[in-house]
Amino acid sequence: MSDGPFDVFALIIAVIAFIIAIKASSQASELRRRLSSLEETFHAQRPVQPPRIPADVWAEASATTSAAPPPLVPQAEPGAEAPPPLVTEDVSPPPLAANTEADAPPLPAPAPGFEERLGTRWVVWIGGLALALGGFFMVRYSIEAGLVGPGVRVFLSGVFALALLGAGEWSRRKESISNIAALPIANIPAILTAAGTAVAFATIYAAYALYGFLVPATAFVLLGLVALGTLAAALLHGPALAGLGVVGAFVTPILVSSGKPDYWALYIYLAIVTAASFGLARIRLWRWLAVTTIAFAVLWIFPGLDTSDLQVAPHAFHVIAGFVLAALLVVCGFMFGPTIEDGEIEPVSSGSLGAYLFGAMLIVLSSAHADLALIAFALLVGATLLVAWRAPAATGALGAAAATVFVVFAEWAVRANPDMLVLPGGPIAGIAPTATDSAVTLHLVMAAIFAAGFGIAGFLAQGRSNSAIIPVVWSVAAVATPIAILVALYARIAHLDRSIPFAILAVLLAAAFGAATEALARRETRPGAMISTALFATGTLGALALALTFALEKGWLTIALALMSLGTAWISMQRPIPFLRWLAAIFAGLVTARIGYDPRIVGDAVGTTPIFNWLLWGYGLPAASFWAASLFLRRRADDAPLRMVESAAILFTALLAFMEIRHFATGGDVTSAPLLLECALQACVALAMAIGLERLRQRSRSIVHNVGAVVLTVIGGLVGVFGLLILENPLLWRTDVGGAVFNLLLLGYALPAVLMLLLSYAVVGERGKAYANTIAGGALLFALAYVTLEIRRFYHGPILSAGATTGAEQYTYSIGWLGFGVVLLGVGILVNSERARLASAVVIALTILKAFVIDMSTLTGVYRALSFMCLGIVLVAIGWLYQRILFRRQVAPPPAPQTSM
């Protein structure tokens, strides 16, 4: 494919840049001439002033004068004549106007205009880029067109590089001799030198990798010399050369490439460039240069990872070389790195090691866990522990090391080929590759080394630093890494089934963490000691929970995590560390996520026994654990971790009830459609728990209890309205309600009415009046529905939806509603409840409405007459009760007759 348009475009840019550069040069010469004439005129007219004293000399002189001022008049010796007095002239100070021009502060320089920016900055940048690209594309064009041989190409590229370097040095010396300073952001000598070094890098690399003119040793030496030359030049020319040189050096392998990449040559070249960049960053303390170099080096790992014939050895060399160079030159406080105060974690030091660990992890994953890749990864992890032990500034790399270790083992756990690990007779020759066994063995050895290394180093690191964060990071890595490795191995080898050997390993790990906890608790108080002790104690609980999980069924993992939350909350009482409270909340979140994945806890093995099945253990034990944990956490503070644990406690309690009800109502088939029995039980349980939370929140004043009570009330109301009154209403659907009195109607309508009434009284004075009245209205609605459905049951039997409605049945409805209203009125009078009397009025109003709308049109004969007669008698009686009992008026006695005297 030809690059003709791109070459024409580059040529046009170069021509335009050259024309603008000529114009800018002529303008600069004219400005220089005018400036020189102005300086001569100014110096000729300016009065001679004494030289300015430097600030430091001035300060020293002032201190000396103030300390011991010399006498103005020499003291006379005894017996000597006094010298004549000095005659001084009255010298008046010069007028202020004379020095106004000299003493006036200099005016700020005007901002550069568009033409100045174009001629002094943009042209320089474009010119330097054009020079570098010109050298690269000239080599590429000569290769494609076959104009000259390989030797001539390399020679011309070298001459071009030397010319650029010479031009940069010549311009630097000329500017240092002249009185015109270079612009820091458009330094022409630095840009010319940078372009020359980039072309020199490309020339040597092409001579070695493309044409084979140089053996590896010679190429190594020459590239090293160019790198050292770039380093020396950047020390003279500043960061512009460093930035352009590093970018050009890392981009060179892309511009000058071949069809068959040689990764060894590439990574040797990149190692030299990295060493030069890190060395320059160390000398000048340019953090940005170190970060840029690391970013380019990590990006160069990706090109060879997606190939089927991945070359592990050169990639491993690349990450190991980069890691070693970063440890030697970038990590603060280690070997040749910059100095830093003790106890500080420096981001670049930790991030540089973490970046190369990330690269090593990618090589392991892309190579399908090849042995060489695993060994290189293990070396870097061990080196990370060593560097972090020696240099606290790199302690942050422990997190990267632990994370990459977990990713490697987790990916290995989910990788295919699990059947090869469980064959009774092992792999058969010619059927299964024997490399799998060696890979498993290597993984197990690495797992043991990593777990022991992180655990022992994390324990021994306690008390070595005056900073609190460093021992905490060590303890987190020491606890989390062995547990993560153990879980990954359990998933890979035991396939998440019961495994007594893994349970034993978990118990041994818990014992090790427990011993570390006791040893740290007996030591003297040091920064971070309390947090580290608490972390090791939490690791003990976590390992014991894993042992329980490994030894028992899968559902015990949920219980184990919940017990870890309880244990962590208890430890937070002994060690008041905020992190432990969050850890308890995190465990609660993990258990919640676990039931979201499988609400049945153990899949199809829940069982068919009502109540006493796996739902009771899978939801009941976590609920009890979270309630107990919330009690421990509430003793310290009402904060976010407590609210998370309380939310989990309410959630698991509600789910336990709802899941057990569904299991009981469906006979164990939790996927079937809901029934009237289930809806009735769900509504009753939701309302009962809402009552309990309302009573609890009055003591705790917890926002979680407050919101939980409202949510459960809404759930109970929605289940009642949509489930009992609409979807499962026995008047609308064919449902067997059972016996005459003790039936589903009592459970589905009478009991919810009572619970709603109790809930309305529980919220009186605690919530808004409308909230309580709405719940009381729901209680009245369900009570009236119960009376109606029971009358229907009396006439139609268990199936309420079958048969026609007779006149006697309609009359009974009216009598039943009227009687229910009278009962409510009587209760309101006896307990002096205005709410009950208002409910009575509502029921009686509905009865009157039914009498005039339904009874008058449907009833005939004696039933119509009796309906209205009973209604009239009851209404008169109600009026009498209101007049004689509730609102009785006292009649004033007549006035006594007056007697006359």
Side-chain angles (χ1 to χ4, degrees):
M1 184 175 179
S2 176
D3 294 333
F6 185 81
D7 294 337
V8 172
F9 181 70
L11 180 60
I12 293 173
I13 292 178
V15 172
I16 295 173
F18 181 73
I19 295 173
I20 296 176
I22 293 175
K23 181 179 179 181
S25 177
S26 62
Q27 292 178 351
S29 300
E30 179 65 20
L31 290 174
R32 190 179 295 109
R33 186 185 61 79
R34 293 183 179 181
L35 181 61
S36 299
S37 63
L38 289 175
E39 287 181 352
E40 292 176 359
T41 305
F42 178 75
H43 285 292
Q45 298 178 356
R46 183 178 181 181
V48 179
Q49 295 182 357
R52 298 178 60 88
I53 302 176
D56 53 351
V57 179
W58 175 260
E60 182 178 357
S62 300
T64 306
T65 304
S66 61
L72 296 177
V73 180
Q75 297 179 0
E77 296 180 0
E81 295 182 359
L86 295 175
V87 180
T88 60
E89 297 181 356
D90 186 10
V91 180
S92 60
L96 296 177
N99 292 333
T100 301
E101 183 179 355
D103 296 337
L107 296 176
F114 173 77
E115 184 177 3
E116 182 179 354
R117 285 193 296 265
L118 179 65
T120 60
R121 301 180 184 182
W122 299 349
V123 171
V124 177
W125 298 336
I126 297 175
L129 179 62
L131 286 174
L133 291 177
F136 297 147
F137 290 128
M138 181 60 68
V139 175
R140 183 172 181 177
Y141 177 73
S142 65
I143 294 175
E144 294 176 350
L147 299 178
V148 294
V152 178
R153 298 172 198 161
V154 173
F155 175 75
L156 293 178
S157 298
V159 171
F160 184 61
L162 292 176
L164 290 175
L165 293 174
E169 181 62 19
W170 176 79
S171 59
R172 184 186 69 84
R173 293 186 178 184
K174 185 176 180 181
E175 286 185 351
S176 63
I177 295 174
S178 63
N179 295 326
I180 300 177
L183 291 175
I185 58 175
N187 195 334
I188 296 177
I191 293 178
L192 290 175
T193 308
T197 55
V199 175
F201 272 118
T203 302
I204 298 174
Y205 177 76
Y208 164 63
L210 299 181
Y211 308 121
F213 293 155
L214 302 176
V215 296
T218 305
F220 183 86
V221 172
L222 291 178
L223 289 175
L225 292 176
V226 174
L228 294 177
T230 305
L231 174 62
L235 291 174
L236 296 174
H237 294 277
L241 176 62
L244 292 178
V246 168
V247 172
F250 276 102
V251 174
T252 294
I254 299 178
L255 298 178
V256 184
S257 59
S258 63
K260 295 181 179 180
D262 186 352
Y263 287 105
W264 274 113
L266 171 65
Y267 288 139
I268 290 176
Y269 164 77
L270 293 180
I272 297 173
V273 172
T274 303
S277 300
F278 282 166
L280 177 59
R282 168 63 186 89
I283 294 174
R284 284 297 186 93
L285 297 180
W286 288 339
R287 178 180 297 185
W288 64 268
L289 182 59
V291 173
T292 303
T293 303
I294 294 169
F296 275 110
V298 172
L299 289 176
W300 268 112
I301 300 175
F302 289 92
L305 295 181
D306 56 350
T307 57
S308 57
D309 54 344
L310 173 61
Q311 301 180 23
V312 178
H315 284 78
F317 166 78
H318 177 56
V319 294
I320 292 176
F323 184 95
V324 172
L325 291 172
L328 293 178
L329 300 173
V330 177
V331 175
C332 298
F334 184 79
M335 298 299 289
F336 309 108
T339 58
I340 193 174
E341 294 183 6
D342 186 24
E344 294 186 9
I345 298 179
E346 205 274 320
V348 177
S349 301
S350 303
S352 60
L353 302 184
Y356 287 105
L357 284 170
F358 174 75
M361 179 195 72
L362 292 180
I363 297 173
V364 173
L365 301 182
S366 300
S367 64
H369 294 248
D371 291 351
L372 182 58
L374 287 172
I375 294 173
F377 176 71
L379 291 176
L380 292 191
V381 172
T384 302
L385 295 177
L386 176 63
V387 175
W389 180 273
R390 175 63 178 78
T395 307
L398 293 174
T404 53
V405 166
F406 173 72
V407 170
V408 166
F409 280 92
E411 197 272 344
W412 179 67
V414 300
R415 184 172 287 274
N417 307 324
D419 296 334
M420 299 180 182
L421 303 178
V422 295
L423 289 177
I428 303 175
I431 297 180
T434 58
T436 303
D437 285 341
S438 62
V440 171
T441 303
L442 182 59
H443 279 83
L444 294 178
V445 173
M446 287 178 54
I449 294 175
F450 287 156
F454 277 93
I456 296 174
F459 173 75
L460 296 179
Q462 305 303 313
R464 296 182 67 249
S465 176
N466 295 324
S467 174
I469 186 62
I470 291 177
V472 170
V473 174
W474 275 103
S475 58
V476 169
V479 172
T481 306
I483 291 179
I485 292 175
L486 185 61
V487 171
L489 293 179
Y490 168 70
R492 170 69 179 189
I493 297 177
H495 307 292
L496 301 180
D497 290 331
R498 293 181 59 192
S499 176
I500 300 302
F502 276 99
I504 295 174
L505 289 176
V507 171
L508 294 177
L509 184 60
F513 287 152
T517 303
E518 292 297 323
L520 293 177
R522 290 192 297 266
R523 292 184 181 180
E524 61 180 4
T525 304
R526 293 289 301 244
M530 293 182 61
I531 301 178
S532 299
T533 304
L535 288 171
F536 277 101
T538 306
T540 304
L541 295 176
L544 290 176
L546 285 179
L548 186 64
T549 303
F550 296 159
L552 302 173
E553 298 294 337
K554 296 179 182 179
W556 287 100
L557 177 60
T558 305
I559 300 174
L561 292 175
L563 293 176
M564 290 174 66
S565 178
L566 173 60
T568 307
W570 179 79
I571 294 174
S572 69
M573 290 294 301
Q574 314 303 320
R575 307 282 183 179
I577 301 170
F579 171 74
L580 292 179
R581 300 176 66 86
W582 279 106
L583 189 60
I586 290 173
F587 284 136
L590 291 176
V591 178
T592 305
R594 167 69 177 84
I595 64 167
Y597 172 74
D598 186 6
R600 296 178 297 176
I601 307 296
V602 290
D604 296 331
V606 175
T608 58
T609 305
I611 308 299
F612 298 99
N613 48 52
W614 246 107
L615 296 175
L616 179 63
W617 319 121
Y619 286 97
L621 291 179
S625 299
F626 294 146
W627 281 114
S630 66
L631 294 177
F632 288 134
L633 296 177
R634 180 166 288 280
R635 295 179 184 179
R636 293 288 182 183
D638 185 358
D639 53 3
L642 170 64
R643 293 168 186 173
M644 293 176 63
V645 175
E646 285 181 339
S647 301
I650 296 174
L651 176 64
F652 272 80
T653 304
L655 288 177
L656 170 64
F658 294 154
M659 294 296 290
E660 285 285 10
I661 289 172
R662 180 147 186 80
H663 182 274
F664 170 75
T666 59
D669 185 11
V670 296
T671 60
S672 61
L675 301 174
L676 178 61
L677 173 62
E678 180 181 355
C679 292
L681 292 174
Q682 301 281 20
C684 292
V685 168
L687 294 172
M689 287 190 296
I691 295 173
L693 284 179
E694 290 289 352
R695 298 299 184 186
L696 180 61
R697 83 175 187 90
Q698 294 177 11
R699 297 196 303 268
S700 65
R701 296 299 175 185
S702 171
I703 187 174
V704 175
H705 297 161
N706 184 10
V707 175
V710 174
V711 171
L712 287 173
T713 301
V714 172
I715 291 175
L718 292 176
V719 172
V721 172
F722 291 98
L724 297 174
L725 297 181
I726 299 177
L727 298 178
E728 299 298 329
N729 192 333
L731 280 177
L732 304 177
W733 313 101
R734 184 178 179 84
T735 303
D736 189 349
V737 299
V741 178
F742 298 100
N743 49 35
L744 291 180
L745 302 178
L746 183 67
L747 181 65
Y749 298 92
L751 185 57
V754 174
L755 292 173
M756 289 182 184
L757 183 63
L758 295 176
L759 181 58
S760 67
Y761 279 101
V763 300
V764 170
E766 298 292 334
R767 300 188 185 274
K769 188 176 181 180
Y771 185 82
N773 290 337
T774 302
I775 299 175
L780 178 63
L781 175 63
F782 273 81
L784 189 61
Y786 173 70
V787 172
T788 304
L789 293 176
E790 276 292 349
I791 294 174
R792 183 79 175 177
R793 167 67 180 77
F794 176 78
Y795 282 96
H796 293 269
I799 307 299
L800 306 184
S801 59
T805 302
T806 62
E809 182 180 350
Q810 282 288 1
Y811 174 74
T812 308
Y813 288 143
S814 299
I815 296 299
W817 288 15
L818 194 60
F820 179 55
V822 172
V823 171
L824 288 177
L825 179 60
V827 173
I829 295 174
L830 291 177
V831 301
N832 194 22
S833 173
E834 180 183 4
R835 183 181 297 172
R837 295 195 299 269
L838 292 176
S840 170
V842 171
V843 174
I844 293 175
L846 289 176
T847 306
I848 296 172
L849 183 64
K850 176 181 179 298
F852 284 95
V853 175
I854 298 178
D855 293 354
M856 186 177 293
S857 59
T858 58
L859 295 181
T860 58
V862 68
Y863 289 115
R864 178 187 296 179
L866 290 176
S867 175
F868 279 89
M869 290 172 60
C870 291
L871 178 61
I873 294 172
V874 170
L875 291 177
V876 171
I878 291 174
W880 182 86
L881 289 175
Y882 270 86
Q883 293 179 9
R884 298 295 179 178
I885 299 177
L886 293 178
F887 301 102
R888 181 174 56 187
R889 296 180 179 179
Q890 300 291 338
V891 178
Q898 297 182 357
T899 59
S900 60
M901 296 295 296

